[in-house]
Amino acid sequence: MTGSPPRPGEPGPGEPRPGEPGAAGAPRIRQSVRALIVDTDDRVLLVRFEFPDATVWALPGGGVEPDEEPLDALQRELAEELGLVGAVVGPHVWDRLHLVRFSHGRSTGGLPPRWDGQRDRIHLVRTPPFEPSPQLSWDELRAERLHEIRWWTLPEVRAHAGRFAPRRLADHLATLLRHGPPPAPVDTGE
């Protein structure tokens, strides 16, 4: 019967069901889209994030806003972070699920973070070399913890002792450069 109150222990209208994001005990996962940008010299473009507990070199991109299509979000993120407008977005090559508490998700009221992790959908973007020129100011980028943008060769990625996201970036990149895009997205792990 429509309009009946929920039975005790059942979610009400608009409330998540057990196991759904936002349900009690279920992780709240932010949907994100990222680009594996590879130029004609097979260099990869990465952004450096500075978190309170780690420095991480990652693929450019970011969260998908409510009612935003993932590829539209990717185009927006590439313009904001890199100044790359109208990129030809290639296939969905990798997936990455990262569980972590986002420090920037705290509200002013001291409530817990809004997200428990992030699910990245990663697309290949092949492009000629370009000099990144973000649409956002460096103050705005730093507010999002982004502090540097640079091109890397595969040997540079392999030799770097720091942290990448995904962690096994060198292995996944080497496979993609050697064999081309996979027939289905590859789970990169952390």
Side-chain angles (χ1 to χ4, degrees):
M1 179 170 142
T2 306
S4 299
R7 293 190 299 235
E10 288 187 2
E15 293 178 354
R17 300 199 169 281
E20 291 180 351
R28 296 157 300 174
I29 304 299
R30 176 184 188 225
Q31 297 303 308
S32 172
V33 63
R34 298 195 173 276
L36 173 65
I37 300 177
V38 180
D39 74 6
T40 52
D41 296 324
D42 285 343
R43 297 180 306 163
V44 62
L45 189 61
L46 300 176
V47 295
R48 178 174 55 92
F49 289 101
E50 291 291 337
F51 299 106
D53 59 345
T55 296
V56 180
W57 285 95
L59 304 170
V64 178
E65 300 294 335
D67 300 322
E68 185 177 37
E69 292 296 318
L71 294 181
D72 293 338
L74 185 57
Q75 292 286 355
R76 174 182 51 76
E77 290 286 344
L78 295 179
E80 290 174 356
E81 292 180 1
L82 309 174
L84 183 58
V85 177
V88 177
V89 177
H92 174 193
V93 292
W94 299 341
D95 285 315
R96 177 177 179 260
L97 176 62
H98 180 64
L99 297 177
V100 64
R101 291 227 179 251
F102 286 91
S103 60
H104 64 275
R106 290 208 172 271
S107 74
T108 55
L111 297 174
R114 292 181 4 209
W115 305 108
D116 298 313
Q118 181 166 293
R119 182 180 316 280
D120 293 331
R121 178 185 174 124
I122 301 163
H123 287 265
L124 178 62
V125 174
R126 281 289 206 165
T127 181
F130 68 95
E131 186 63 34
S133 180
Q135 289 180 351
L136 294 180
S137 72
W138 277 102
D139 286 340
E140 291 170 309
L141 291 170
R142 281 188 206 94
E144 294 184 11
R145 302 189 182 279
L146 193 157
H147 289 262
E148 186 179 357
I149 304 167
R150 74 167 265 219
W151 290 99
W152 295 70
T153 64
L154 180 57
E156 288 172 330
V157 173
R158 285 198 186 283
H160 186 66
R163 185 169 161 190
F164 292 100
R167 287 189 194 264
R168 293 182 43 234
L169 176 64
D171 295 335
H172 292 294
L173 180 60
T175 299
L176 186 132
L177 292 176
R178 188 171 36 255
H179 301 291
V186 170
D187 181 352
T188 65
E190 276 281 319

